[in-house]
Amino acid sequence: MPRLKKILLSNILPLEELNPRDPRAAPSKAKGDALVKLNEELRETLIYEAKQDASEPAQGLAMGNNIPPLVVCKPPVDLPEHYRSDITSETYVLVDGYQRYEAIRDAFGLGIRVSIKIVETPSLVALMREAMELNSRPQMPLTKGEKLSHVFRLLLLDGIEDGTAWRKQFEGIASRSTLSEYKKLATFARDAANLHDLPFDEAREALREAVREGIGEYVTPRFDSKGFPTKSTISAWREVVETGEVSKWWAIKQAEREKSEAKKREAARSLSAMLAEFAPGERLEVLRRLEAEAKEEQRDAPRDAELSALTRDLKGSSSISQVPPLADLEDEDF
């Protein structure tokens, strides 16, 4: 068996776009809680195995070969712009092994050498296909929502060619009619947003802008954790374009606004009750602290707030913000 190449973990760059796992794709709270528990148990197991497997030879701290190698590749030519400042001549992009990567990082930091398996693929979309295939048989299988979300993103990017057996590959999670509807919606979106021949980053941004311009006045667009419109948003967009009917969507958006304002009022009442025992000056001090924290979060966030969760994940944070309403977490919304 040939020796596996080892490199520093710091030379491996995780890409959220390549990770099919989606924190927003749990179909229900009960299933979501179960998945969180299983993921945490798996993470603890991986950290334990990593600690047992590590050694410190002359070259420095390194993982042994008991934990499978991380699958990596050289950065593709269409790597999204916000990653480019992190690229050096020694950088590899992480294709598969995100849970192992996080377990090793949490146990040892980024200064440990790890085994890698190198694959060669020409584009980010090709890497998305590779990641999907590699994630079909891990210890923690993808949920139905995660699979459908990833398939829909690939369809939006024209990453699954006609004539391939892509429907057969996913018939275990959705019917042919459902997959055909996904294909029709993606084709509509690609045509309406004129995505043809655009590289990954430009295609994603063009699609987001087209959705906002097309239905933003009547519908609150929903975006997944990778920054792409959900299936329900594209479906609403197509309905508005084909029928011209917007009253239903306008009523939904107004109801959402009213619900949001009601939540803010309730939050203000709750905060006021919590601070009632404090003197006015102390209340102001607490509020200034909250304001400073909010401003710092706002400063750290990207220009587009809807991509804030995605960007924080790219930088290694596990926090997720702007989670859509529960109605947008159902399987049919992906």
Side-chain angles (χ1 to χ4, degrees), residues 2 15 34 62 110 127 145 149 154 173-174 199 239 326 329:
L15 304 187
L110 298 174
L127 286 176
S149 292
L154 283 169
I173 60 168
E239 182 178 330
L326 290 179
L329 292 177

Side-chain angles (χ1 to χ4, degrees), residues 15 18 72-80 84 93 95 118-131 154 158-159 161 198-201:
L15 304 187
L18 292 185
V72 301
C73 72
K74 294 304 290 183
V77 294
D78 57 347
L79 187 75
R84 295 190 179 276
V93 163
V95 180
I118 302 173
V119 297
E120 295 184 7
T121 45
S123 68
L124 192 58
V125 172
L127 286 176
M128 288 173 67
R129 289 197 300 267
E130 182 85 11
L154 283 169
D158 202 23
E161 298 177 1
L198 289 180
F200 180 95
D201 234 8

Side-chain angles (χ1 to χ4, degrees), residues 38-317:
L38 285 171
N39 270 306
E40 185 59 31
E41 290 174 354
L42 176 59
R43 178 178 170 279
E44 291 176 359
T45 299
L46 287 172
I47 290 176
Y48 173 80
E49 291 177 355
K51 289 181 177 179
Q52 297 300 308
D53 197 39
S55 62
E56 193 158 8
Q59 299 93 330
L61 191 63
M63 295 298 303
N65 294 327
N66 291 334
I67 290 182
L70 303 178
V71 181
V72 301
C73 72
K74 294 304 290 183
V77 294
D78 57 347
L79 187 75
E81 187 65 32
H82 51 256
Y83 292 110
R84 295 190 179 276
S85 61
D86 298 322
I87 298 298
T88 71
S89 60
E90 298 181 335
T91 299
Y92 286 87
V93 163
L94 182 60
V95 180
D96 180 60
Y98 278 75
Q99 290 173 314
R100 298 193 296 279
Y101 173 93
E102 290 174 2
I104 295 169
R105 181 196 65 198
D106 291 349
F108 301 103
L110 298 174
I112 187 169
R113 293 164 60 245
V114 296
S115 298
I116 60 170
K117 176 183 177 182
I118 302 173
V119 297
E120 295 184 7
T121 45
S123 68
L124 192 58
V125 172
L127 286 176
M128 288 173 67
R129 289 197 300 267
E130 182 85 11
M132 183 73 182
E133 183 177 340
L134 290 169
N135 270 274
S136 63
R137 298 178 298 276
Q139 292 171 285
M140 179 61 66
L142 299 172
T143 66
K144 176 181 177 180
E146 287 171 332
K147 291 178 181 178
L148 286 174
S149 292
H150 203 71
V151 170
F152 194 49
R153 287 190 289 269
L154 283 169
L155 289 170
L156 288 170
L157 294 165
D158 202 23
I160 304 177
E161 298 177 1
D162 289 331
T164 62
W166 70 274
R167 285 185 180 85
K168 187 174 181 180
Q169 181 181 358
F170 298 109
E171 280 177 1
I173 60 168
S175 66
R176 283 186 175 224
S177 60
T178 296
L179 293 171
S180 294
E181 175 63 9
Y182 274 52
K183 177 71 171 177
K184 291 175 183 176
L185 284 171
T187 299
F188 160 80
R190 287 184 57 75
D191 290 341
N194 195 22
L195 301 186
H196 303 284
D197 299 324
L198 289 180
F200 180 95
D201 234 8
E202 292 180 28
R204 177 169 58 182
E205 186 56 34
L207 183 58
R208 293 168 64 82
E209 287 300 322
V211 166
R212 291 193 193 94
E213 291 179 7
I215 59 172
E217 184 179 353
Y218 319 108
V219 181
T220 303
R222 308 293 183 199
F223 300 94
D224 66 21
S225 65
K226 322 298 181 185
F228 289 87
T230 64
K231 180 250 184 182
S232 61
T233 289
I234 300 295
S235 182
W237 184 19
R238 184 179 67 175
E239 182 178 330
V240 169
V241 170
E242 292 180 350
T243 67
E245 174 57 43
V246 298
S247 57
K248 175 182 74 172
W249 302 107
W250 180 253
I252 292 173
K253 187 167 185 176
Q254 288 297 102
E256 287 176 345
R257 285 176 177 169
E258 292 172 6
K259 185 177 180 180
S260 176
E261 289 301 316
K263 284 184 176 180
K264 291 175 186 176
R265 289 193 296 271
E266 179 60 32
R269 283 195 293 269
S270 298
L271 183 59
S272 179
M274 290 175 60
L275 298 177
E277 62 184 78
F278 292 91
E282 293 174 321
R283 292 202 297 271
L284 283 173
E285 183 180 348
V286 171
L287 292 174
R288 288 193 193 102
R289 289 182 182 180
L290 291 174
E291 182 184 24
E293 289 174 4
K295 285 182 176 179
E296 179 142 0
E297 288 181 17
Q298 198 172 46
R299 220 172 16 247
D300 291 340
R303 177 179 55 85
D304 187 342
E306 289 156 349
L307 275 175
S308 59
L310 167 62
T311 302
R312 280 197 295 275
D313 281 344
L314 300 178
K315 298 300 182 182
S317 169

Side-chain angles (χ1 to χ4, degrees), residues 1-18:
M1 179 179 176
R3 292 183 63 185
L4 294 168
K5 180 176 181 179
K6 290 189 177 182
I7 65 172
L8 285 171
L9 194 66
S10 58
N11 288 333
I12 299 177
L13 178 66
L15 304 187
E16 183 61 23
E17 290 86 348
L18 292 185

